[in-house]
C-alpha cells in the first residue's frame, strides 16, 4: 500500500520511517518532506513549490491532488495548521481515509477558550480559568486572583501565546503584550490558575465517529507517557523552544497516575468527543501537569508531539500502518498496542542562536560509522537537501535540526547511545542540551 504523509519536521520523518518499516507499505509520499525523508527507504518527497501542477494550489488542494495521482491508500497529517484549515475534511471528501481530525475537532488546539469550555463541560480535570475579550476586565480579574497566574492567548501563536507570570506586574504586562502583538490570536485571553507540578505528554490514538459512538466502539488509546524538554539550556533554564529532546517512557510516572489520567482526563475527553458529534480519527496529545492532586490537563494538541514522536514511535512493537488503518476504519477498540521494554532517549541538535536568530544553510556531516556503532537513528527536522551541491548534501533550514534517538534496556544505556550518536553529527553552530531525561532536566513549577 501507499501512504501520504503531510509535514516537514522531525515528527513527520519519524512517522514516514515508521510506516516504511511495515512490509505492507510499498511507498510513503511526503508532502513536502525534508532532507531526512528524501533519503529514507521507500520514501519520496513531493514539494508543491517545485511542482508546476501544484504550485498555485492551497495545501489542502495539493494534498488531495497528490493523494489521487499517487493513488494512496490513506494519509497521515503531521502538523496542526492544515488540520485547523480542514485538510482532513478535504481528503475524506475526496475518499481518502485520513489520520487527523476534521476541522471541528482540530479547533480543540486552535482555540484555548474552546478547549477550556470543552474540558469544563465534560469534567476533564484541569486548571480553573476565565476567558476575557476586554483588557480592563482581564486586568481586574488578575488583580483579584493575584500571582502566580497564567495568561494564554486564545489562538495558535507558535509557542508564543502563554506567559506563566510569577508577579502581578508580569501578569499585567503579559495582558498588554499578548493583546498588542498577536493580532487575531490575542483577541481573547484565557487566564488560568497556576498549577504546580511536573509536566508530561501523553500521546494517544483516537477513533470517534457518530457510527462508532452508536456501536459503542469509539475509543481513545493512550501511548506510553513521554516528556519533552522545552527550555533551551540544561537544568530547564533559558528561553522556551519547540523542544530540545524527549524521553519515553517515564520512570517517575506511576501506574496510579496513569490510572487517574485515564479516569479523570482521557475518559471525560472521549465522552466529550462523542457528545459533540466529532468525526475525530487521528491522534490527540494531552499536555499534563502532574500536581499533588493528580494529573491535570494543560492543553490538547490535535496531533502527535514534536519531539515526543521521535521517542515514542520507536518504542512501538506493532505495525504503525495497522494502527493508522484501525483509527480510520473504526477498529481501534480491537487493536492491541504492544510496547518494547526499556527506554528511548532523543536529544535534539539545534542551530546556534535558536530560538532567536540563527543561521541557515550550514552543511551537516553525519558520520554513519559513529551513529551506527552507537545504535541510534537520526530523525531530520530543519534540514533540506542542497540541490546546488554535486553530491547529496544536507544543509540546515531550521532551528531544530535533528534528533538522535536511541533505545536501551535501561535508561542509562539509551541515554549513552543517543549522546554517542550525537558525537557523529556536526554542523557549524550546533548546540544541544546535555541532560535530556536526567534528574533536574524536566520542566516543573
Ligand atoms: P500550553 O501551551 O497551554 O501547554 O502552555 C505552555 C506551557 O506553559 C506549558 O507547557 C507549561 O509549562 C506552562 N503552563 C501552561 N498552563 C499552566 C498552568 N495552568 N500552570 C502552570 N504552568 C502552565
Ligand atoms: N513537544 C510539544 C509539542 O509538540 O507541541
Amino acid at each position: 500500500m501507499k501512504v501520504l504523509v503531510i509535514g516537514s519536521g522531525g515528527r513527520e520523518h519519524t512517522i514516514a520511517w515508521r510506516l516504511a518499516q511495515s512490509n505492507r507499505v510499498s511507498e510513503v509520499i511526503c508532502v513536502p518532506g525534508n532532507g531526512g525523508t528524501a533519503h529514507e527507504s521507500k520514501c519520496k518527497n513531493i514539494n508543491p513549490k517545485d511542482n508546476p501542477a501544484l504550485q498555485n494550489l492551497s495545501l489542502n488542494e495539493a494534498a488531495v491532488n497528490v493523494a489521487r495521482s499517487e493513488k494512496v491508500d490513506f494519509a497521515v497529517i503531521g502538523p496542526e495548521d492544515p488540520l485547523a484549515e480542514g485538510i482532513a475534511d478535504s481528503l475524506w471528501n475526496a475518499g481518502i481515509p485520513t489520520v487527523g481530525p476534521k476541522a471541528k475537532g482540530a479547533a480543540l488546539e486552535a482555540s484555548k477558550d474552546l478547549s477550556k469550555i470543552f474540558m469544563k463541560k465534560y469534567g476533564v480535570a484541569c486548571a480553573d480559568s476565565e476567558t476575557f475579550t476586554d483588557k480592563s476586565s482581564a486586568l481586574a480579574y488578575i488583580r483579584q486572583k493575584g500571582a502566580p497566574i497564567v495568561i494564554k492567548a486564545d489562538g495558535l501563536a507558535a509557542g508564543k501565546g502563554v506567559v506563566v507570570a510569577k508577579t502581578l506586574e508580569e501578569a499585567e504586562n503579559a495582558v498588554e503584550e499578548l493583546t498588542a502583538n498577536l493580532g487575531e490570536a490575542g483577541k481573547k485571553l484565557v487566564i488560568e490558575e497556576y498549577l504546580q507540578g511536573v509536566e508530561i505528554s501523553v500521546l494517544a490514538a483516537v477513533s470517534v465517529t457518530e457510527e462508532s459512538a452508536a456501536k459503542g466502539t469509539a475509543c481513545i488509546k493512550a501511548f506510553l507517557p513521554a516528556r519533552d524538554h522545552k527550555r533551551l539550556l540544561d537544568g530547564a533554564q533559558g528561553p522556551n523552544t519547540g523542544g530540545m529532546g524527549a524521553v519515553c517512557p517515564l520512570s517517575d510516572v506511576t501506574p496510579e497516575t496513569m490510572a487517574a489520567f485515564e479516569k479523570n482526563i482521557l475518559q471525560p475527553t472521549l465522552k466529550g468527543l462523542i457528545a459533540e458529534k466529532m468525526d475525530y480519527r487521528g491522534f490527540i496529545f494531552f499536555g499534563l501537569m502532574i500536581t499533588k492532586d493528580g494529573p491535570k490537563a494543560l492543553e490538547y494538541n490535535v496531533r502527535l508531539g514534536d519531539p515526543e514522536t521521535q521517542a515514542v514511535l520507536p518504542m512501538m512493537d506493532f505495525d504503525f500502518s495497522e494502527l493508522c488503518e484501525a483509527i480510520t476504519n473504526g477498529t481501534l477498540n480491537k487493536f492491541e498496542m504492544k510496547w518494547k521494554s526499556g527506554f528511548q532517549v532523543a536529544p535534539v541538535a539545534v542551530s546556534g542562536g535558536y530560538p532567536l536568530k540563527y543561521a541557515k544553510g550550514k552543511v551537516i556531516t553525519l558520520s554513519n560509522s559513529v551513529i551506527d556503532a552507537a545504535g541510534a537513528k537520526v530523525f531530520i527536522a530543519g534540514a533540506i537537501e542542497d540541490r546546488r551541491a554535486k553530491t547529496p548534501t544536507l544543509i540546515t533550514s531550521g532551528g531544530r535540526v535533528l534528533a538522535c534517538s536511541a533505545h536501551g534496556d535501561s535508561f542509562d544505556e539509551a541515554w549513552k547511545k543517543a549522546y554517542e550518536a550525537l558525537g557523529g553529527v556536526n554542523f557549524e553552530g550546533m548546540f544541544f542540551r546535555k541532560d535530556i531525561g536526567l534528574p533536574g532536566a524536566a520542566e516543573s513549577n
Side-chain angles (χ1 to χ4, degrees):
M1 59 171 54
K2 279 174 96 170
V3 189
L4 171 65
V5 174
I6 302 290
S8 63
R11 165 183 51 211
E12 287 77 23
H13 182 189
T14 314
I15 292 170
W17 163 81
R18 194 77 250 201
L19 287 166
Q21 283 189 327
S22 168
N23 291 333
R24 308 161 71 230
V25 172
S26 55
E27 195 172 24
V28 183
I29 314 291
C30 304
V31 174
N34 65 24
T37 52
H39 293 287
E40 194 63 53
S41 150
K42 299 193 208 169
C43 294
K44 175 173 96 177
N45 286 354
I46 297 181
N47 190 339
K49 281 196 195 130
D50 302 334
N51 191 314
L54 304 173
Q55 251 162 12
N56 298 320
L57 302 183
S58 67
L59 178 59
N60 285 10
E61 291 164 339
V64 170
N65 190 304
V66 173
R68 282 191 170 138
S69 60
E70 296 286 336
K71 299 193 172 50
V72 304
D73 293 277
F74 66 89
V76 183
I77 315 302
E80 63 276 20
D81 289 347
L83 289 167
E85 278 160 32
I87 197 168
D89 305 65
S90 303
L91 284 161
W92 277 109
N93 286 342
I96 316 293
T98 300
V99 181
K102 291 186 177 172
K104 188 174 167 194
L108 285 176
E109 175 168 356
S111 165
K112 292 208 190 278
D113 180 38
L114 200 137
S115 83
K116 290 301 300 226
I117 292 172
F118 179 94
M119 287 182 198
K120 289 180 194 168
K121 187 166 170 192
Y122 296 103
V124 175
C126 63
D128 284 340
S129 68
E130 292 280 341
T131 298
F132 297 91
T133 46
D134 79 292
K135 260 193 327 197
S136 54
S137 333
L139 290 168
Y141 180 77
I142 285 170
R143 286 177 198 130
Q144 179 208 331
K145 289 283 173 185
I149 193 158
V150 183
I151 329 290
K152 301 184 174 185
D154 174 51
L156 291 174
K160 296 188 174 65
V162 177
V163 175
V164 180
K166 293 275 151 63
T167 64
L168 210 51
E169 197 189 345
E170 268 175 47
E172 289 171 350
N173 289 341
V175 169
E176 297 293 343
E177 277 162 26
L178 294 178
T179 43
N181 299 337
L182 292 180
E184 202 53 41
K187 278 208 164 146
K188 270 190 203 167
L189 295 180
V190 176
I191 303 189
E192 200 170 271
E193 168 199 9
Y194 171 82
L195 295 177
Q196 198 153 25
V198 59
E199 284 182 62
I200 70 167
S201 308
V202 181
L203 317 183
V206 185
S207 190
V208 175
T209 56
E210 280 195 63
E211 195 191 334
S212 64
K215 281 204 240 155
T217 57
C219 65
I220 304 181
K221 288 203 169 172
F223 299 164
L224 293 178
R227 176 171 286 131
D228 186 6
H229 296 67
K230 286 193 185 135
R231 301 290 205 96
L232 180 70
L233 306 174
D234 285 3
Q237 301 296 310
N240 259 323
T241 70
M244 296 296 291
V247 294
C248 173
L250 304 172
S251 28
D252 61 320
V253 174
T254 61
E256 291 72 36
T257 298
M258 288 310 283
F261 158 73
E262 177 86 27
K263 177 166 175 273
N264 302 327
I265 296 174
L266 187 150
Q267 288 303 335
T269 301
L270 174 61
K271 200 173 82 188
L273 295 180
I274 292 170
E276 299 287 331
K277 300 196 184 324
M278 300 265 190
D279 180 349
Y280 196 126
R281 285 174 277 181
F283 301 111
I284 196 161
F285 159 165
F286 298 89
L288 306 180
M289 187 73 89
I290 310 302
T291 73
K292 65 174 176 27
D293 302 322
K296 300 257 173 108
L298 289 179
E299 60 166 350
Y300 295 121
N301 295 302
V302 298
R303 50 173 174 81
L304 295 176
D306 190 338
E308 287 91 332
T309 299
Q310 291 85 316
V312 175
L313 266 56
M315 290 294 297
M316 291 176 170
D317 209 3
F318 54 83
D319 186 324
F320 189 65
S321 73
E322 286 179 7
L323 174 72
C324 292
E325 283 200 318
I327 289 171
T328 59
N329 71 16
T331 57
L332 181 65
N333 63 319
K334 292 203 215 101
F335 190 86
E336 201 188 333
M337 293 194 293
K338 287 207 189 100
W339 298 91
K340 291 183 192 165
S341 58
F343 292 84
Q344 195 80 24
V345 177
V348 169
V350 302
S351 304
Y354 173 78
L356 301 173
K357 244 175 90 130
Y358 54 86
K360 292 184 184 174
K362 300 293 177 194
V363 173
I364 303 168
T365 53
L366 298 176
S367 165
N368 287 330
S369 58
V370 174
I371 294 162
D372 293 348
K377 171 73 188 167
V378 174
F379 293 119
I380 298 295
I384 51 173
E385 273 192 302
D386 185 359
R387 298 228 219 91
R388 296 159 311 177
K390 286 205 187 76
T391 52
T393 307
L394 264 183
I395 54 170
T396 64
S397 61
R400 290 189 293 164
V401 174
L402 54 81
C404 284
S405 186
H407 182 264
D409 291 336
S410 66
F411 172 83
D412 288 351
E413 185 194 341
W415 192 91
K416 202 163 148 267
K417 283 175 160 180
Y419 276 91
E420 264 169 29
L422 267 183
V425 177
N426 191 38
F427 54 89
E428 196 185 311
M430 172 173 158
F431 175 79
F432 55 89
R433 271 180 68 165
K434 298 184 182 58
D435 68 342
I436 297 303
L438 297 182
E443 270 93 48
S444 63
N445 291 319

